Amino acid sequence: MHPVFPAPLQHGDLIGVTAPSSGVGERERRRLEFAIEWLRDKGFRVEVGECMDGTGHISAPASARAAELMRMLLDPAIRAVIPPWGGETAIDLLPLLDFDALAGAEPTWFVGYSDVSTLLTPLTLRSGWATIHGPNLMDTPYELPETLASWLDIVMAPRGTVIRQSPANLHRANDHDDWSVQPDVTTHNWTGTGTWRRLDAGLEPVDAVGRLIGGCIETLANVVGTPFGSPTLLRGGSGQEPTLVYLEAAEDNAFDICRNLHGMRLAGFFDGASAILIGRTAAPDMDSLSQDEAVVDALGSLGVPIVADIECGHVPPQMSLVNGAMARVVHSDAESYLEQRIG
């Protein structure tokens, strides 16, 4: 299976907003309104769904969230769907989504990260749609360093475009904006520096290709090993084509991340991986095990390059990665970049 890419977005196209996991409470409502108007100012029409309630940890019952997400993904008038942010239990939607119907439909761009990974990755693996691990709606108005691409850059790119992204060499460390006070903020306070790093013992330069697949460790670990989390179909008819796996830790401590990665390895998620990309994280170390050591403990035996501090997770800035795209990662003393082909 080679994933199918949605058509490029054009100005004037309709973008759907729904919360398949957590909705938006009153404290952050003005940020949501600002982000929606930001998209409209960029030339898009926006439809906001009914599943947006933020009084609890889910925006609506699972049946309602699944129905609204299916409707938006299958509506030919809606060309992209983006949640406001992630949450905790989007996994309850998986048995309620009709992946066969989605596989037979014209694909729609579906964008997000964090708990949204719970839906993005199965949509690629089960229905064959290219999906985007990138900023959710509430993060979208933030300006990005010039070396990174936004999800809008990707969804508007013509078929065949090769998107190259490279280290930003800066990030936001241990700090965040209070959107209830400043809902219209669009610039980050860059408080940290640092570039991509090797975690494995290899000394040779990294130059690896494969189809991108990955997401948030804490959510994907519960999907891998189920019918919704096998990357086998991404490896072509022969089953020998490589993958390029990216993962990021949101908030779990190093012990939990280590266990999750071991479980994903035992379930075969890394079979055929040409390299593994690990996002920069602010998740806590433990006294006897750091986040770096957790990754090496679980994945070092695979014998493939492991590159850390990729801009792909809960520490801004965030590059956008296309699940299912053919990609190449290069990392050496001379240069570092990730290329992905759109379509």
Side-chain angles (χ1 to χ4, degrees), residues 49-304:
E50 297 295 325
C51 298
M52 296 293 292
D53 181 64
T55 57
H57 76 282
I58 52 175
S59 66
S63 58
R65 285 179 284 129
E68 182 161 278
L69 181 59
M70 284 292 300
R71 178 185 66 79
M72 287 190 173
L73 292 176
L74 291 173
D75 185 344
I78 297 177
R79 303 309 308 147
V81 175
I82 184 166
W85 49 21
E88 302 296 337
T89 59
I91 194 169
D92 62 359
L93 267 62
L94 291 179
L96 303 179
L97 299 177
D98 190 340
F99 288 98
D100 291 336
L102 293 167
E106 183 70 20
T108 298
W109 286 111
F110 188 23
V111 186
Y113 80 108
S114 194
D115 196 29
V116 184
S117 293
T118 316
L119 306 173
L120 295 172
T121 305
L123 183 55
T124 297
L125 298 177
R126 284 288 299 269
S127 299
W129 288 18
T131 60
I132 297 179
H133 182 276
N136 294 312
L137 177 60
M138 304 284 259
D139 300 302
T140 293
Y142 281 113
E143 297 174 4
L144 287 173
E146 62 181 10
T147 61
L148 304 182
S150 75
W151 68 267
L152 284 172
D153 294 328
I154 289 175
V155 300
M156 298 186 75
R159 297 275 180 84
T161 299
V162 175
I163 303 286
R164 176 183 286 202
Q165 300 179 82
S166 55
N169 298 323
L170 47 78
H171 61 277
R172 188 166 191 168
N174 303 314
D175 179 38
H176 66 277
D177 294 311
D178 184 346
W179 289 332
S180 68
V181 175
Q182 192 177 7
D184 58 350
V185 61
T186 60
T187 57
H188 279 296
N189 180 27
W190 304 124
T191 54
T193 59
T195 191
W196 299 358
R197 302 178 291 116
R198 287 289 290 274
L199 293 186
D200 64 290
L203 300 176
E204 71 286 352
V206 178
D207 190 343
V209 298
R211 290 204 176 269
L212 276 172
I213 195 68
C216 178
I217 296 169
E218 290 96 324
T219 67
L220 281 189
N222 297 288
V223 176
V224 173
T226 77
F228 304 100
S230 172
T232 302
L233 290 179
L234 276 185
R235 302 193 62 203
S238 67
Q240 299 301 311
E241 294 183 17
T243 58
L244 188 56
V245 178
Y246 67 91
L247 293 167
E248 58 96 12
E251 60 186 8
D252 280 2
N253 68 54
F255 290 156
D256 290 336
I257 292 301
C258 189
R259 280 190 293 266
N260 284 341
L261 290 176
H262 271 289
M264 294 174 72
R265 176 179 54 79
L266 293 172
F269 193 76
F270 301 99
D271 292 354
S274 60
I276 299 169
L277 311 179
I278 301 295
R280 180 177 285 112
T281 186
D285 297 334
M286 301 302 286
D287 289 343
S288 61
L289 190 74
S290 69
Q291 290 283 336
D292 283 355
E293 290 167 340
V295 173
V296 175
D297 184 272
L299 306 181
S301 63
L302 294 173
V304 301

